[in-house]
Amino acid sequence: MRIFVTGASGHIGSALVPELLQAGHEVVGLARSDASAAALVSAGAEVRRGDLEDLDGLRAAAQDSDGAIHLAFDHDAVKAGDMVGAAGADLRAVEAMAAGLGSGGKPLVTTSPIMLLSFSDLPGRPYTERDILPAGPRIDTENATIAMAERGVRASVVRLPPVVHSANDGTFGFIPTMVRGARAAGAAGYVGDGSNRWPTVHTRDAARLYRLAAERAPAGSRLHAVAEEAVPVRSVAEAIGRGLGSPTVVVEQDDAPERFGFVARFIGQDAPTSSALTRELLDWAPTEVDLIADIDAPHYFAS
């Protein structure tokens, strides 16, 4: 297939492009900068210049392709406090790509954050692919994607865990943000007793799931890119402490924003999440190193 990918030079995109190419697909990557365009050319992909605000360009790129995978999101707007604006732009971009793909069963794979489920009143058990929220920023895009199946788009959603880890992890990720905070404070930290749990996945395992979704996920599928179901946040903090050679301490909730940045909103959330249905549906089996072993490697502390 000829697959249009947004966010193709980003954290997951930089693993997804070679994953798709090695599987025999052609890749057209969206690039909003010269640096992104150069990275895509170097990886062997075709470049489409533009951004998520260029709805006509997104529609045309999708129309010229056999499918689309949507990874990009306006994290700059989120950092500036405009989650609603970023989520609205995301929904408009997905609608534009769906319009370009038409009603012939072409695949559209979008992205949604698992962590939103932890702010719901869902039962106290591991979240599954069958758990659905009715509305909200980014949830609206997820639900709109699923509804596109009724329009003849083979649409699916990959729900990402809060921690997608590897040497590709950028400055905006949970672990780099926590490392920066710990380095500045002279100690790694967690809130409460640190027993709350996060799901995780390695970047390359996530990339493989996106490929499988584009190739054969049934229309209307919600997929969980979860390799580890429940890693205690205290264990994450202790691994960061080891990497920095610093102590690990309890951080008061009132001090969390200064210590953890945007991660403060999630640092105390408990979100164990299953991917059993995804594994069975697409025969997806994560194979990469787990989170704590990855943090114990040196790449998160190189700068």
Side-chain angles (χ1 to χ4, degrees), residues 129-211:
E129 295 86 340
R130 294 193 178 101
D131 289 322
I132 302 170
L133 298 181
R138 303 208 73 176
I139 295 298
D140 293 340
T141 302
E142 174 179 317
N143 292 338
T145 299
I146 297 301
M148 288 167 187
E150 300 175 1
R151 295 157 43 184
V153 180
R154 184 163 59 81
S156 61
V157 175
V158 172
R159 288 173 170 169
L160 286 177
V163 179
V164 181
H165 61 91
S166 72
N168 289 357
D169 204 347
T171 59
F172 191 70
F174 271 47
I175 303 305
T177 300
M178 293 176 70
V179 168
R180 283 196 305 275
R183 183 176 277 129
Y190 55 89
V191 299
D193 64 3
S195 64
N196 59 299
R197 300 153 294 173
W198 290 343
T200 78
V201 70
H202 191 279
T203 305
R204 287 193 292 271
D205 284 324
R208 187 161 61 255
L209 180 58
Y210 276 97
R211 174 180 64 80

Coordinates of all heavy atoms in Angstrom, one line a residue, residues 129-211:
E129 N -10.1 -2.8 25.6 CA -10.5 -2.2 24.4 C -12.0 -1.9 24.3 O -12.4 -1.1 23.4 CB -10.1 -3.1 23.2 CG -8.6 -3.2 23.1 CD -8.0 -4.4 23.9 OE1 -8.7 -4.8 24.9 OE2 -6.9 -4.8 23.6
R130 N -12.8 -2.6 25.1 CA -14.3 -2.4 25.1 C -14.7 -1.2 25.9 O -15.9 -0.8 25.9 CB -15.0 -3.6 25.6 CG -14.8 -4.8 24.7 CD -15.8 -5.9 25.0 NE -15.6 -7.1 24.1 CZ -15.0 -8.2 24.4 NH1 -14.4 -8.3 25.6 NH2 -14.9 -9.2 23.6
D131 N -13.8 -0.6 26.7 CA -14.1 0.6 27.5 C -14.2 1.8 26.6 O -13.3 2.1 25.8 CB -13.1 0.8 28.6 CG -13.2 -0.3 29.7 OD1 -14.3 -0.7 30.0 OD2 -12.1 -0.7 30.2
I132 N -15.3 2.5 26.7 CA -15.6 3.7 25.8 C -16.0 4.9 26.6 O -16.9 4.7 27.5 CB -16.6 3.3 24.7 CG1 -16.2 2.1 23.9 CG2 -16.9 4.5 23.8 CD1 -17.3 1.6 23.0
L133 N -15.5 6.0 26.3 CA -16.0 7.3 27.0 C -16.9 8.0 26.0 O -16.6 8.0 24.8 CB -14.8 8.1 27.4 CG -13.8 7.5 28.4 CD1 -12.7 8.5 28.8 CD2 -14.6 7.1 29.7
P134 N -17.9 8.7 26.5 CA -18.8 9.3 25.6 C -18.3 10.6 24.8 O -18.7 10.8 23.7 CB -20.0 9.7 26.5 CG -19.4 9.8 27.8 CD -18.3 8.8 27.9
A135 N -17.5 11.4 25.5 CA -17.1 12.7 24.9 C -16.0 13.3 25.6 O -15.7 12.9 26.8 CB -18.3 13.6 24.9
G136 N -15.4 14.3 25.0 CA -14.3 15.0 25.6 C -13.2 15.3 24.6 O -13.1 14.7 23.6
P137 N -12.2 16.2 25.0 CA -11.1 16.4 24.1 C -10.3 15.1 23.8 O -10.0 14.4 24.7 CB -10.2 17.4 24.9 CG -11.2 18.1 25.8 CD -12.2 17.0 26.2
R138 N -10.0 14.9 22.6 CA -9.4 13.7 22.0 C -10.4 12.5 22.0 O -10.3 11.7 21.1 CB -8.1 13.3 22.7 CG -7.1 14.5 22.7 CD -5.7 14.0 22.7 NE -5.2 13.3 21.5 CZ -4.0 12.9 21.2 NH1 -3.1 13.0 22.2 NH2 -3.7 12.3 20.1
I139 N -11.2 12.3 23.0 CA -12.2 11.3 23.0 C -13.2 11.5 21.8 O -13.6 10.5 21.1 CB -13.0 11.2 24.3 CG1 -12.1 10.8 25.4 CG2 -14.2 10.2 24.2 CD1 -11.4 9.5 25.3
D140 N -13.5 12.7 21.5 CA -14.3 13.0 20.3 C -13.7 12.5 19.0 O -14.4 12.0 18.2 CB -14.6 14.5 20.2 CG -15.5 15.0 21.4 OD1 -16.2 14.2 22.0 OD2 -15.4 16.3 21.7
T141 N -12.4 12.7 18.9 CA -11.7 12.2 17.7 C -11.7 10.7 17.6 O -12.0 10.1 16.6 CB -10.3 12.7 17.7 OG1 -10.3 14.1 17.7 CG2 -9.6 12.3 16.4
E142 N -11.5 10.0 18.8 CA -11.6 8.6 18.8 C -12.9 8.1 18.4 O -13.1 7.2 17.5 CB -11.3 8.1 20.2 CG -11.4 6.6 20.4 CD -11.1 6.1 21.8 OE1 -10.1 6.5 22.3 OE2 -11.9 5.2 22.3
N143 N -14.0 8.6 19.0 CA -15.3 8.2 18.6 C -15.7 8.5 17.2 O -16.4 7.7 16.5 CB -16.3 8.8 19.6 CG -16.2 8.3 21.0 OD1 -15.6 7.2 21.2 ND2 -16.6 9.0 22.0
A144 N -15.3 9.7 16.7 CA -15.5 10.0 15.3 C -14.8 9.0 14.4 O -15.4 8.6 13.3 CB -15.1 11.4 15.0
T145 N -13.6 8.6 14.7 CA -12.9 7.6 13.9 C -13.6 6.3 13.8 O -13.8 5.8 12.7 CB -11.5 7.4 14.5 OG1 -10.7 8.6 14.5 CG2 -10.7 6.3 13.7
I146 N -14.1 5.8 14.9 CA -14.9 4.6 14.9 C -16.1 4.7 14.1 O -16.5 3.8 13.3 CB -15.2 4.2 16.4 CG1 -14.0 3.9 17.2 CG2 -16.1 3.0 16.4 CD1 -13.0 2.9 16.6
A147 N -16.8 5.9 14.2 CA -18.0 6.1 13.4 C -17.8 6.1 11.9 O -18.7 5.9 11.1 CB -18.7 7.4 13.8
M148 N -16.5 6.4 11.5 CA -16.2 6.4 10.1 C -16.4 5.1 9.4 O -16.4 5.0 8.2 CB -14.8 7.0 9.9 CG -14.7 8.5 10.2 SD -13.0 9.0 10.3 CE -13.3 10.7 10.8
A149 N -16.4 4.0 10.2 CA -16.6 2.7 9.6 C -18.0 2.7 8.8 O -18.1 2.0 7.8 CB -16.6 1.6 10.7
E150 N -18.9 3.4 9.3 CA -20.2 3.5 8.7 C -20.2 4.2 7.4 O -21.1 4.1 6.6 CB -21.2 4.1 9.6 CG -21.4 3.4 11.0 CD -22.3 4.2 11.9 OE1 -22.8 5.3 11.5 OE2 -22.5 3.7 13.0
R151 N -19.1 4.9 7.1 CA -19.0 5.7 5.8 C -18.1 4.9 4.9 O -17.7 5.5 3.8 CB -18.4 7.1 6.1 CG -19.4 7.9 6.9 CD -18.7 9.1 7.7 NE -17.6 9.8 6.9 CZ -16.9 10.7 7.5 NH1 -17.1 11.1 8.7 NH2 -16.0 11.3 6.8
G152 N -17.7 3.7 5.2 CA -16.9 2.9 4.2 C -15.4 3.1 4.4 O -14.6 2.7 3.6
V153 N -15.0 3.7 5.5 CA -13.6 3.8 5.8 C -13.2 2.7 6.8 O -13.9 2.4 7.8 CB -13.2 5.2 6.5 CG1 -11.7 5.3 6.8 CG2 -13.6 6.3 5.6
R154 N -12.1 2.0 6.5 CA -11.7 0.9 7.5 C -10.9 1.6 8.6 O -9.7 1.5 8.7 CB -10.9 -0.2 6.7 CG -10.5 -1.3 7.7 CD -10.1 -2.6 6.9 NE -8.9 -2.4 6.1 CZ -7.6 -2.3 6.5 NH1 -7.4 -2.5 7.8 NH2 -6.7 -2.2 5.7
A155 N -11.7 2.2 9.5 CA -11.1 3.1 10.5 C -10.8 2.3 11.8 O -11.6 1.5 12.2 CB -12.0 4.3 10.8
S156 N -9.7 2.6 12.4 CA -9.3 2.0 13.7 C -8.6 3.0 14.5 O -8.0 4.0 14.0 CB -8.5 0.7 13.6 OG -7.3 1.0 12.9
V157 N -8.6 2.8 15.9 CA -7.9 3.7 16.8 C -6.8 2.9 17.6 O -7.2 1.9 18.2 CB -8.9 4.4 17.8 CG1 -8.1 5.2 18.8 CG2 -9.9 5.2 17.0
V158 N -5.6 3.4 17.6 CA -4.6 2.8 18.5 C -4.6 3.7 19.7 O -4.3 4.9 19.7 CB -3.2 2.8 17.8 CG1 -2.2 2.4 18.9 CG2 -3.2 1.8 16.7
R159 N -4.9 3.1 20.9 CA -4.8 3.8 22.2 C -3.4 3.6 22.7 O -2.9 2.5 22.9 CB -5.8 3.3 23.2 CG -7.2 3.7 22.9 CD -8.2 3.0 23.8 NE -9.5 3.5 23.7 CZ -10.6 2.9 24.3 NH1 -10.4 1.8 25.0 NH2 -11.8 3.4 24.2
L160 N -2.7 4.7 22.9 CA -1.3 4.7 23.4 C -1.2 4.8 24.9 O -2.0 5.6 25.5 CB -0.5 5.8 22.8 CG -0.1 5.6 21.3 CD1 0.7 6.9 20.9 CD2 0.8 4.4 21.1
P161 N -0.4 4.1 25.6 CA -0.2 4.3 27.0 C 0.6 5.5 27.3 O 1.2 6.1 26.4 CB 0.7 3.0 27.4 CG 1.4 2.7 26.2 CD 0.5 3.0 25.0
P162 N 0.6 6.0 28.5 CA 1.3 7.2 28.8 C 2.8 7.2 28.6 O 3.4 8.2 28.3 CB 1.0 7.4 30.3 CG 0.7 6.1 30.9 CD 0.0 5.4 29.7
V163 N 3.4 6.0 28.7 CA 4.8 5.8 28.5 C 5.1 5.0 27.3 O 4.8 3.8 27.3 CB 5.5 5.2 29.8 CG1 7.0 5.0 29.5 CG2 5.3 6.1 31.0
V164 N 5.6 5.6 26.2 CA 6.1 4.9 25.1 C 7.6 5.2 25.1 O 8.0 6.3 24.9 CB 5.5 5.5 23.8 CG1 6.0 4.7 22.6 CG2 3.9 5.4 23.8
H165 N 8.4 4.2 25.3 CA 9.8 4.4 25.7 C 10.8 3.8 24.7 O 10.5 2.7 24.0 CB 10.0 3.8 27.1 CG 9.8 2.3 27.1 ND1 10.7 1.3 26.9 CD2 8.6 1.6 27.4 CE1 10.2 0.1 27.0 NE2 8.9 0.2 27.3
S166 N 11.9 4.4 24.5 CA 13.0 3.9 23.7 C 14.0 5.1 23.6 O 13.8 6.2 24.1 CB 12.6 3.5 22.3 OG 12.2 4.7 21.5
A167 N 15.1 4.8 22.9 CA 16.1 5.8 22.7 C 15.5 6.9 21.8 O 16.1 8.0 21.7 CB 17.4 5.2 22.0
N168 N 14.4 6.7 21.1 CA 13.8 7.7 20.2 C 12.9 8.7 21.0 O 12.5 9.7 20.5 CB 12.8 7.0 19.2 CG 13.5 6.3 18.2 OD1 14.7 6.3 18.1 ND2 12.8 5.6 17.3
D169 N 12.7 8.4 22.3 CA 11.8 9.2 23.1 C 12.3 10.7 23.1 O 13.5 11.0 23.4 CB 11.8 8.7 24.6 CG 10.5 9.1 25.3 OD1 9.8 9.9 24.8 OD2 10.3 8.5 26.4
G170 N 11.4 11.6 22.8 CA 11.7 13.0 22.7 C 11.6 13.7 24.0 O 11.5 13.1 25.1
T171 N 11.8 15.0 23.9 CA 11.8 15.8 25.1 C 10.4 16.0 25.8 O 10.3 16.3 27.0 CB 12.3 17.2 24.8 OG1 11.5 17.9 23.9 CG2 13.7 17.2 24.3
F172 N 9.3 15.6 25.1 CA 8.0 15.9 25.6 C 7.5 14.6 26.3 O 6.4 14.7 27.0 CB 7.0 16.2 24.5 CG 5.7 16.7 24.9 CD1 5.6 18.0 25.5 CD2 4.6 16.0 24.7 CE1 4.3 18.4 26.0 CE2 3.3 16.4 25.2 CZ 3.2 17.6 25.8
G173 N 8.1 13.5 26.2 CA 7.6 12.3 26.8 C 7.6 12.3 28.3 O 8.2 13.1 29.0
F174 N 6.8 11.3 28.9 CA 6.7 11.2 30.4 C 8.1 11.0 31.0 O 8.5 11.7 32.0 CB 5.8 10.1 30.8 CG 4.4 10.4 30.9 CD1 3.7 11.2 29.9 CD2 3.6 10.0 32.0 CE1 2.4 11.5 30.0 CE2 2.3 10.3 32.1 CZ 1.7 11.1 31.1
I175 N 8.9 10.1 30.5 CA 10.2 9.8 31.2 C 11.2 10.9 31.0 O 11.8 11.3 32.0 CB 10.8 8.5 30.6 CG1 9.8 7.3 30.8 CG2 12.1 8.1 31.4 CD1 9.3 7.1 32.3
P176 N 11.4 11.5 29.8 CA 12.3 12.7 29.8 C 11.9 13.8 30.7 O 12.7 14.5 31.3 CB 12.3 13.1 28.3 CG 11.9 11.8 27.6 CD 11.0 11.1 28.5
T177 N 10.6 14.0 30.8 CA 10.1 15.1 31.6 C 10.4 14.8 33.1 O 10.8 15.7 33.8 CB 8.6 15.3 31.4 OG1 8.3 15.6 30.0 CG2 8.0 16.4 32.3
M178 N 10.1 13.6 33.5 CA 10.4 13.2 34.9 C 11.9 13.3 35.2 O 12.4 13.6 36.3 CB 9.9 11.8 35.2 CG 8.3 11.8 35.2 SD 7.7 10.1 35.4 CE 8.1 9.8 37.1
V179 N 12.8 12.9 34.2 CA 14.2 12.9 34.4 C 14.7 14.4 34.6 O 15.5 14.7 35.4 CB 14.9 12.3 33.2 CG1 16.4 12.6 33.2 CG2 14.7 10.8 33.2
R180 N 14.1 15.3 33.7 CA 14.5 16.7 33.9 C 14.1 17.2 35.3 O 14.9 18.0 35.9 CB 13.8 17.6 32.8 CG 14.4 17.5 31.4 CD 14.0 18.6 30.5 NE 12.5 18.7 30.4 CZ 11.8 18.0 29.5 NH1 12.4 17.1 28.7 NH2 10.5 18.1 29.5
G181 N 12.9 16.9 35.7 CA 12.5 17.4 37.0 C 13.3 16.8 38.1 O 13.7 17.5 39.1
A182 N 13.7 15.5 38.0 CA 14.5 14.9 39.1 C 15.9 15.5 39.1 O 16.5 15.7 40.1 CB 14.6 13.4 38.8
R183 N 16.5 15.8 37.9 CA 17.8 16.4 37.8 C 17.8 17.7 38.4 O 18.7 18.1 39.2 CB 18.3 16.4 36.4 CG 19.7 16.9 36.2 CD 20.1 16.9 34.7 NE 20.6 15.6 34.4 CZ 20.2 14.9 33.3 NH1 19.2 15.3 32.5 NH2 20.7 13.7 33.0
A184 N 16.8 18.5 38.1 CA 16.7 19.9 38.7 C 16.5 19.9 40.2 O 17.1 20.7 40.9 CB 15.6 20.7 38.0
A185 N 15.8 18.9 40.7 CA 15.5 18.9 42.1 C 16.5 18.1 42.9 O 16.6 18.2 44.2 CB 14.1 18.2 42.4
G186 N 17.4 17.3 42.3 CA 18.4 16.6 43.0 C 17.8 15.3 43.5 O 18.5 14.6 44.3
A187 N 16.6 14.9 43.2 CA 16.0 13.7 43.6 C 14.9 13.3 42.7 O 14.1 14.1 42.2 CB 15.5 13.8 45.1
A188 N 14.7 12.0 42.4 CA 13.6 11.5 41.7 C 12.4 11.4 42.7 O 12.6 11.3 43.9 CB 13.9 10.1 41.1
G189 N 11.2 11.4 42.1 CA 10.0 11.4 43.0 C 8.8 10.8 42.5 O 8.6 10.5 41.3
Y190 N 7.8 10.6 43.4 CA 6.5 10.1 43.1 C 5.6 10.7 44.2 O 6.0 11.2 45.2 CB 6.5 8.5 43.1 CG 7.0 7.9 44.4 CD1 6.1 7.7 45.5 CD2 8.3 7.6 44.6 CE1 6.6 7.1 46.7 CE2 8.8 7.1 45.8 CZ 7.9 6.8 46.8 OH 8.4 6.3 48.0
V191 N 4.3 10.5 44.0 CA 3.3 11.0 45.0 C 2.7 9.9 45.7 O 2.6 8.8 45.2 CB 2.2 11.9 44.3 CG1 2.9 13.2 43.7 CG2 1.4 11.2 43.3
G192 N 2.1 10.1 46.9 CA 1.5 9.1 47.6 C 2.5 8.0 48.0 O 3.7 8.3 48.3
D193 N 2.1 6.7 47.9 CA 3.0 5.6 48.1 C 3.6 5.1 46.8 O 4.4 4.1 46.8 CB 2.3 4.5 48.9 CG 1.2 3.8 48.1 OD1 0.9 4.2 47.0 OD2 0.5 3.0 48.7
G194 N 3.2 5.7 45.7 CA 3.8 5.3 44.4 C 3.3 3.9 43.9 O 3.9 3.4 42.9
S195 N 2.3 3.4 44.5 CA 1.8 2.1 44.0 C 0.9 2.2 42.8 O 0.5 1.1 42.3 CB 1.1 1.4 45.2 OG -0.1 2.1 45.6
N196 N 0.4 3.4 42.5 CA -0.4 3.5 41.3 C 0.4 3.1 40.0 O 1.7 3.2 40.0 CB -0.9 4.9 41.1 CG 0.2 5.9 41.0 OD1 1.0 6.1 41.9 ND2 0.3 6.7 39.9
R197 N -0.3 2.6 39.0 CA 0.4 1.8 37.9 C 0.1 2.5 36.6 O -1.0 3.0 36.3 CB -0.1 0.4 37.9 CG 0.3 -0.4 39.2 CD -0.7 -1.5 39.5 NE -2.1 -1.0 39.7 CZ -3.1 -1.8 39.8 NH1 -3.0 -3.1 39.7 NH2 -4.3 -1.2 40.1
W198 N 1.1 2.4 35.7 CA 0.9 2.9 34.3 C 1.2 1.7 33.3 O 2.1 0.9 33.6 CB 1.9 4.0 34.0 CG 1.7 5.3 34.7 CD1 0.6 5.7 35.3 CD2 2.7 6.3 34.8 NE1 0.8 7.0 35.8 CE2 2.0 7.4 35.5 CE3 4.0 6.5 34.4 CZ2 2.7 8.6 35.8 CZ3 4.7 7.7 34.7 CH2 4.0 8.7 35.4
P199 N 0.4 1.7 32.2 CA 0.8 0.8 31.2 C 1.9 1.4 30.3 O 2.1 2.6 30.3 CB -0.5 0.7 30.4 CG -1.2 2.0 30.6 CD -0.8 2.5 32.0
T200 N 2.7 0.5 29.7 CA 3.8 1.0 28.9 C 3.9 0.2 27.6 O 3.4 -0.9 27.5 CB 5.1 0.9 29.6 OG1 5.6 -0.5 29.6 CG2 5.0 1.4 31.1
V201 N 4.7 0.8 26.6 CA 5.1 0.0 25.4 C 6.4 0.6 24.9 O 6.6 1.8 25.0 CB 3.9 0.1 24.4 CG1 3.8 1.5 23.8 CG2 4.1 -0.9 23.3
H202 N 7.1 -0.3 24.3 CA 8.4 0.2 23.6 C 8.0 0.8 22.2 O 7.0 0.3 21.6 CB 9.3 -1.0 23.4 CG 10.7 -0.6 22.9 ND1 11.0 -0.3 21.6 CD2 11.9 -0.4 23.6 CE1 12.3 0.0 21.5 NE2 12.8 0.0 22.7
T203 N 8.7 1.8 21.8 CA 8.4 2.5 20.5 C 8.3 1.5 19.3 O 7.3 1.6 18.5 CB 9.5 3.5 20.2 OG1 9.6 4.4 21.3 CG2 9.1 4.3 18.9
R204 N 9.2 0.6 19.2 CA 9.1 -0.3 18.0 C 7.9 -1.3 18.1 O 7.4 -1.6 17.1 CB 10.5 -1.1 17.9 CG 11.6 -0.3 17.4 CD 12.8 -1.1 17.0 NE 13.4 -1.7 18.2 CZ 14.4 -1.2 18.9 NH1 14.8 0.0 18.6 NH2 14.9 -1.9 19.9
D205 N 7.6 -1.7 19.3 CA 6.4 -2.5 19.4 C 5.1 -1.7 19.0 O 4.2 -2.3 18.4 CB 6.2 -3.1 20.9 CG 7.2 -4.2 21.2 OD1 7.5 -5.0 20.3 OD2 7.7 -4.3 22.3
A206 N 5.1 -0.5 19.4 CA 3.9 0.4 19.0 C 3.9 0.5 17.5 O 2.8 0.5 16.9 CB 4.0 1.7 19.7
A207 N 5.0 0.8 16.9 CA 5.1 1.0 15.5 C 4.6 -0.3 14.7 O 3.9 -0.2 13.7 CB 6.5 1.3 15.0
R208 N 4.9 -1.4 15.2 CA 4.5 -2.7 14.6 C 3.0 -2.8 14.7 O 2.3 -3.2 13.7 CB 5.2 -3.9 15.2 CG 4.9 -5.2 14.5 CD 5.9 -6.3 14.8 NE 5.9 -6.6 16.2 CZ 6.8 -6.3 17.1 NH1 7.8 -5.5 16.7 NH2 6.7 -6.6 18.4
L209 N 2.4 -2.4 15.8 CA 0.9 -2.4 15.9 C 0.2 -1.5 14.9 O -0.8 -1.8 14.3 CB 0.5 -2.1 17.3 CG -1.0 -2.1 17.6 CD1 -1.6 -3.5 17.2 CD2 -1.3 -1.7 19.0
Y210 N 0.8 -0.3 14.8 CA 0.2 0.6 13.8 C 0.2 0.0 12.4 O -0.7 0.1 11.6 CB 1.0 2.0 13.7 CG 0.5 3.0 14.8 CD1 1.2 3.1 16.0 CD2 -0.6 3.8 14.6 CE1 0.8 4.0 17.0 CE2 -1.0 4.7 15.5 CZ -0.3 4.8 16.7 OH -0.7 5.7 17.7
R211 N 1.4 -0.7 12.0 CA 1.4 -1.3 10.7 C 0.4 -2.4 10.6 O -0.4 -2.5 9.6 CB 2.8 -1.9 10.5 CG 2.9 -2.8 9.2 CD 4.2 -3.4 9.0 NE 4.7 -4.3 9.9 CZ 4.3 -5.6 10.0 NH1 3.4 -6.1 9.1 NH2 4.7 -6.4 10.9

